[in-house]
Amino acid sequence: MTATSPRPAFTPDSDPLDVIRWTLETHPDVLMPSAFNLNGVVLLDLAVKAGYRGEVVFVDTGYHFPETLATRDRLAARYPELTFVTLNDGATPEDGQTDPALYAADPDACCAVRKVAPLQAYLRERAPSALLNARSRDQASTRADIPFVEDGARVKVNPLAHWTRERLETYAREQDLPVNPLYWDGFLSVGCWTCTRAVRPGEDARAGRWAGKGKTECGLWAGDGKL
């Protein structure tokens, strides 16, 4: 689907609700991938307020914390107007998709098989013109320049690009959102339990992901297989 509405001149002070409303008008087939981190939970709430009634797509790698799966279920109950889609639902480390030790030997390969490939296959099937996602600039130095709207094979819209962690936390508390409880224990970005640790004082929000592996992204937003 081709965009038909002119792109507004968004500024750092633009309201995420306005960015989402523009997205819904311009890309009515938009989908929302989510891992249900703090940013993702806030975006879900804002998207519903802006009128989003589409799919929220989550990839079950088989290595997610139980708290993450429970957060998904709490969000699905809170937002019945959305369609929650879990790819690889019920995956386990012993399901044959990968060697159970692959995450330690080659985390890039593990992510490629268990996370990137299932979502890419689903997106090829659904063929949305845009993705609504929850990345923000202060999550990591590698995300410090992301704009509200990124062009490419699919338009990637980042309504929270300019929101700080403090602002996200304040919003989540004010709205009593079901944030993953691991967040409050220092897991500021929660991925697979095999490759995630709590963040230490002074580190950025994603420092606990693949710590010591020389890796900062799963491959969905950077690299040859990026969305």
Side-chain angles (χ1 to χ4, degrees):
M1 183 174 295
T2 302
T4 57
S5 298
R7 184 174 300 174
F10 294 123
T11 71
D13 293 325
S14 293
D15 190 330
L17 287 170
D18 292 334
V19 179
I20 298 169
R21 291 185 185 111
W22 170 82
T23 305
L24 298 179
E25 178 184 352
T26 309
H27 300 280
D29 62 339
V30 65
L31 295 183
M32 184 192 301
S34 186
F36 311 123
N37 278 293
L38 172 67
N39 289 49
V41 173
V42 169
L43 181 62
L44 271 171
D45 191 73
L46 289 169
V48 168
K49 285 180 168 65
Y52 183 63
R53 297 296 183 268
E55 293 184 349
V56 180
V57 184
F58 169 74
V59 182
D60 188 350
T61 64
Y63 290 100
H64 281 294
F65 290 93
E67 291 89 343
T68 301
L69 301 179
T71 299
R72 173 201 58 188
D73 295 343
R74 291 172 66 199
L75 290 164
R78 179 174 174 128
Y79 302 106
E81 58 269 78
L82 300 178
T83 300
F84 284 74
V85 177
T86 297
L87 308 179
N88 281 348
D89 196 9
T92 68
E94 296 79 26
D95 57 18
Q97 291 187 72
T98 59
D99 185 303
L102 184 63
Y103 72 85
D106 191 343
D108 283 332
C110 190
C111 288
V113 172
R114 290 190 167 272
K115 188 170 186 180
V116 178
L119 185 53
Q120 287 283 27
Y122 188 75
L123 293 178
R124 284 195 297 271
E125 175 188 332
R126 301 286 287 138
S129 63
L131 299 176
L132 194 63
N133 75 94
R135 290 176 298 158
S136 59
R137 291 182 171 209
D138 77 342
Q139 285 179 312
S141 59
T142 54
R143 298 183 174 187
D145 297 319
I146 61 170
F148 281 121
V149 183
E150 298 174 85
D151 292 311
R154 299 181 187 90
V155 173
K156 293 180 283 293
V157 184
N158 312 300
L160 301 176
H162 294 275
W163 273 30
T164 63
R165 179 155 58 92
E166 290 75 19
R167 190 168 184 181
L168 291 161
E169 289 179 356
T170 297
Y171 183 90
R173 287 191 173 106
E174 289 176 347
Q175 303 299 318
D176 194 25
L177 301 184
V179 175
N180 189 326
L182 291 172
Y183 180 85
W184 308 114
D185 290 333
F187 289 78
L188 304 186
S189 180
V190 183
C192 296
W193 62 262
T194 52
C195 299
T196 306
R197 64 161 171 79
V199 171
R200 300 179 181 123
E203 292 183 327
D204 67 42
R206 291 179 60 81
R209 302 289 294 275
W210 309 286
K213 298 290 187 181
K215 176 178 171 64
T216 59
E217 297 281 352
C218 63
L220 291 178
W221 307 113
D224 295 339
K226 68 180 179 181
L227 301 179

